[in-house]
Amino acid sequence: MNFCQLIDRNYLASWHHELIAQKLENALLRVQNGEKVRLILSIPPRHGKSQLASIYFPAWALGKYPEIKFIMSTYGMELSETMGMKTRDVIQSEPYGFIFPDISLRPDQKAKAKWLTTQGGAYTAVGIGTAVTGTGANVIILDDSHKDRAEAESETQRKNVWEYYRSTLYSRLEGFGAVIVIMQRWHTDDLVGRLLEEQERLVKAGEEHDEWEVIEFPAIAHNDEYDTSTPTQRLLRKQGDALWPSRYPLDVLTNIRQTVGVYNWTSQYQQQPISAETQVFHERFFRYYDEKELNNKYLKYYTICDPAISQSDDADNTVIITMAKDADGPNIYRIREDAGHFTPKQTIDLIFKHREEYNSDVFIETFAFQKALKFAIEEEQKIRQNYFILKELKDTTKAKEFRIQSLIPLYERGVIFHKHSDIEYETELLQFPGGKHDDRIDAAAYITTALQGGSRSSKPKQFHAKSLFKRKRAW
């Protein structure tokens, strides 16, 4: 980071740039020690990946180790040449000369796409499909191997990228070396997808394989994120926080998401590509409501709690969701959702909060240890002197996947309405059945069971001007 800021006084760094810089510096040190490095950095567009990893990093590395050789590859020769030119210009700049006074370029080898240092170092820029004969590298950087959505959706183009990586680029490595893949995700079968699939296949077969370290940077955090490289595992950002809030705050990201659509947002910005081939829920199903539309409607409210078995970082979330059914029609509205790795006390407090806010029927999944949570809620009712019937959800006849699929006819008929902020929920729908998490949509799927057991109807819903959730009596 110090190097970047010395080269460019206007360089703005966030915590994710510092983490990337640490990973790159460590990768270079390992290469110098003869180790094999395979690193994937998945990061949203316009979040500083190329400037740091594809321009400043090679320049800094050649200053530290003047004999090192780089190959830089992107989706096209024009972009690769631009990267090479910018890196070359950094090395020829006055600030660089003060930092690394002994580094200079050979006068006869200073082209944008290929230049050499007087100490034996080299930088070669190539586009996907470009021949690289006669050139070796200690470090290969692939930055944005897919040009755009059209190319990423093309099976032929994806195959071309994969074959070029395997048959051309990889053969240029000298020794184990380092391969660093930097990209926004596009497709489950993009270059990153294929690299990880190939790793999994070889691991299962017990064969020698490249082991990839994957660092993902979603634009909005899926969960609390910690720096696991430090003894204290310091918190980097909390669930729901923006990756680069000074440049892309949440309101800007929300606007981007609404503009590009869930399919592009989920892959390019959240690094969770959706398989169009296996999708059962589609973005065209989604319908939205404005809170004011609920005024003067008779609504039945249902609060559903689906407790997670574990509170570990990679476990499903505990979900408490309240949905409302129009008593005079078929429409169902997603009113409020709380999801996270909650303690039992936090879960109980949220259930009471939903119940008190919406006067809802309350349902809880009760399997195994979850029965203890039901008992704890009943004991809390005595303490608070706030009593309500707690209905058990025992959908033992259906696997989770079948329960979630029960939402399909409701979406096909357009009777479920979302808020525009339901990003994580919609992501799970679009990624089903192959997504990493399905806790939110599993909880929502219980609405079909709750509707059969719900009986309460509220008075017409109205809103205070200062709150979209507070209801006032109209009688």
Side-chain angles (χ1 to χ4, degrees), residues 267-286:
S267 57
Q268 293 174 255
Y269 287 85
Q270 293 300 93
Q271 313 312 311
Q272 294 186 336
I274 297 165
S275 173
E277 292 81 4
T278 61
Q279 265 186 294
V280 294
F281 295 96
H282 301 276
E283 192 170 355
R284 66 178 183 273
F285 290 170
F286 300 162

Side-chain angles (χ1 to χ4, degrees), residues 83-245:
M83 297 287 193
M85 177 186 67
K86 290 182 177 181
T87 307
R88 181 197 64 186
D89 290 348
V90 169
I91 291 179
Q92 292 181 311
S93 69
E94 185 176 347
Y96 189 91
F98 283 117
I99 302 169
F100 300 114
D102 298 328
I103 306 300
S104 60
L105 301 183
R106 278 179 46 176
D108 60 333
Q109 291 285 343
K110 296 171 65 174
K112 290 185 293 185
K114 188 177 181 65
W115 41 266
L116 306 176
T117 69
T118 54
Q119 292 81 4
Y123 184 105
T124 303
V126 297
I128 296 294
T130 305
V132 205
T133 54
T135 301
N138 310 109
V139 180
I140 293 176
I141 299 176
L142 292 95
D143 188 346
D144 282 338
S145 53
H146 302 277
K147 180 180 179 180
D148 52 26
R149 172 59 67 190
E151 285 198 2
E153 293 293 334
S154 167
E155 185 177 357
T156 299
Q157 290 292 340
R158 296 196 305 271
K159 183 178 179 181
N160 289 342
V161 171
W162 177 239
E163 290 303 326
Y164 182 73
Y165 167 77
R166 292 202 305 173
S167 64
T168 302
L169 277 184
Y170 200 86
S171 66
R172 299 294 92 199
L173 274 177
E174 297 183 356
F176 282 131
V179 181
I180 301 170
V181 178
I182 312 160
M183 62 181 287
Q184 54 184 292
R185 295 299 308 273
W186 287 99
H187 194 282
T188 54
D189 188 45
D190 59 19
L191 179 59
V192 168
R194 289 209 178 194
L195 289 171
L196 297 181
E197 183 181 24
E198 180 74 356
Q199 173 182 290
E200 183 179 2
R201 182 186 69 80
L202 293 174
V203 167
K204 289 181 179 179
E207 299 180 21
E208 187 69 26
H209 63 279
D210 282 343
E211 185 171 342
W212 292 90
E213 180 182 7
V214 182
I215 310 296
E216 291 182 348
F217 296 96
I220 299 176
H222 301 296
N223 300 294
D224 292 352
E225 295 178 354
Y226 296 88
D227 184 358
T228 57
S229 66
T230 61
T232 58
Q233 295 198 3
R234 65 185 178 95
L235 179 68
L236 297 172
R237 58 172 172 163
K238 296 185 70 63
Q239 181 182 20
D241 285 352
L243 177 61
W244 198 359

